[in-house]
Amino acid sequence: MIWRKSHKTAQSDPFDWAAYLEERASESTDPRLKRFYQAKWPEPDTPISDVPMVALDLETTGLDSQRDVIVSIGLVPFTLSRIHSPKARYWVVRPDKPLTTESITFHRITHSVVANAPALNAMFEELMQCLAGRLVVVHFKQIERHFLNAAAKQVFGDRLLFPVIDTMAIERSRLKLERYRRWRQWLGQRRPSLRLNDCRLRYHLPQYEAHHALVDAQATAELLQAQLSYEYSPDTPVSALWE
């Protein structure tokens, strides 16, 4: 990889994740949540090149975590220099609500596929074991953060929150979309897309099938590696990237 810039901060994030994780480890009453928060998490000043990461993607029946449900989960462990595809995991989840026609068309996960799949509460602890101590990487954190929190409330009766790196947020910052001026739209210049495959195209990464949790997790891991190689130094502290 060619490191083109010294490290810079993708966002202003004053939140003290180290203190939060320690507090939750002390306060959590469910032993499964306690074990999760007691995992060895990266210190804020740890260089991103030394951090174990895991790309995570959830496919859901919609965008509302209070109304919609998770139908599949994919994750791929990786580091800045290597993607551990043989250790990837993929689950189809049997939802507690009927699948909609729109969801089946979108994800190609049918009633017959979910019929023999595990329920969320049967595999959620295993998922958390795969995430514990790793820096989770997602594309559009609102989906994974809100749906996993809703799932934790269902399974453990308690909230779930941990630091993530959001490749969409990195791309939004890189493209300076917050300063995108309305007159550009008046002149017919379209706002750049932040969809996963469109972001990958900017780094000359291949296009993958969309809306498959495992494929999207792999695509997210590759995208972060590309973004960091263009925009950051390998000694960038994780506190400059997580949110």
Side-chain angles (χ1 to χ4, degrees):
M1 292 184 180
I2 300 174
W3 301 96
R4 301 190 176 181
K5 297 183 181 180
S6 60
H7 84 72
K8 62 180 183 178
T9 302
Q11 58 171 4
S12 176
D13 182 17
F15 194 81
D16 189 342
W17 279 110
Y20 176 82
L21 294 168
E22 183 178 353
E23 178 184 357
R24 294 291 286 128
S26 175
E27 293 181 348
S28 297
T29 57
D30 189 291
R32 297 166 294 182
L33 271 181
K34 184 176 286 291
R35 285 194 296 271
F36 176 79
Y37 286 116
Q38 286 176 336
K40 184 174 177 56
W41 298 92
E43 295 292 333
D45 59 353
T46 306
I48 189 63
S49 58
D50 295 341
V51 174
M53 294 178 279
V54 58
L56 172 69
D57 185 78
L58 306 181
E59 296 300 321
T60 64
T61 57
L63 300 178
D64 186 346
S65 60
Q66 302 304 310
R67 182 184 62 192
D68 299 306
V69 293
I70 298 169
V71 292
S72 64
I73 303 171
L75 61 84
V76 178
F78 74 108
T79 64
L80 198 58
S81 59
R82 182 178 179 186
I83 294 177
H84 302 285
S85 298
K87 296 182 179 180
R89 300 295 305 276
Y90 176 69
W91 297 270
V92 173
V93 180
R94 186 174 75 250
D96 56 8
K97 299 177 182 179
L99 295 175
T100 64
T101 301
E102 292 80 4
S103 174
I104 293 172
T105 302
F106 197 68
H107 302 299
R108 298 177 295 280
I109 296 176
T110 65
H111 295 288
S112 60
V113 172
V114 301
N116 297 317
L120 185 64
N121 58 4
M123 52 71 59
F124 199 68
E125 184 178 2
E126 183 180 2
L127 170 65
M128 290 181 62
Q129 291 171 355
C130 294
L131 301 180
R134 290 181 173 272
L135 189 50
V136 176
V137 179
V138 300
H139 191 76
F140 189 48
K141 65 180 181 294
Q142 281 79 357
I143 292 294
E144 280 73 19
R145 180 161 280 170
H146 292 171
F147 275 88
L148 287 181
N149 189 51
K153 290 179 179 178
Q154 175 186 331
V155 176
F156 306 124
D158 200 354
R159 68 189 186 278
L160 178 65
L161 186 64
F162 49 86
V164 301
I165 294 178
D166 186 351
T167 53
M168 180 183 286
I170 290 175
E171 196 68 6
R172 181 184 294 113
S173 175
R174 188 179 78 85
L175 296 173
K176 299 179 173 59
L177 292 190
E178 289 79 2
R179 291 186 284 174
Y180 191 87
R181 297 183 182 277
R182 188 177 298 275
W183 60 264
R184 291 184 180 177
Q185 294 175 304
W186 292 342
L187 292 174
Q189 296 182 3
R190 296 182 60 184
R191 188 181 182 90
S193 169
L194 292 174
R195 292 181 180 275
L196 180 56
N197 268 332
D198 291 332
C199 291
R200 288 172 57 85
L201 278 174
R202 297 186 189 103
Y203 300 92
H204 310 290
L205 294 170
Q207 297 296 281
Y208 292 155
E209 174 190 9
H211 308 304
H212 185 287
L214 182 56
V215 175
D216 283 354
Q218 174 86 15
T220 299
E222 294 174 356
L223 175 59
L224 182 70
Q225 288 182 329
Q227 288 175 321
L228 296 184
S229 72
Y230 273 75
E231 296 292 320
Y232 295 86
S233 161
D235 63 356
T236 300
V238 294
S239 58
L241 296 164
W242 66 16
E243 52 184 304

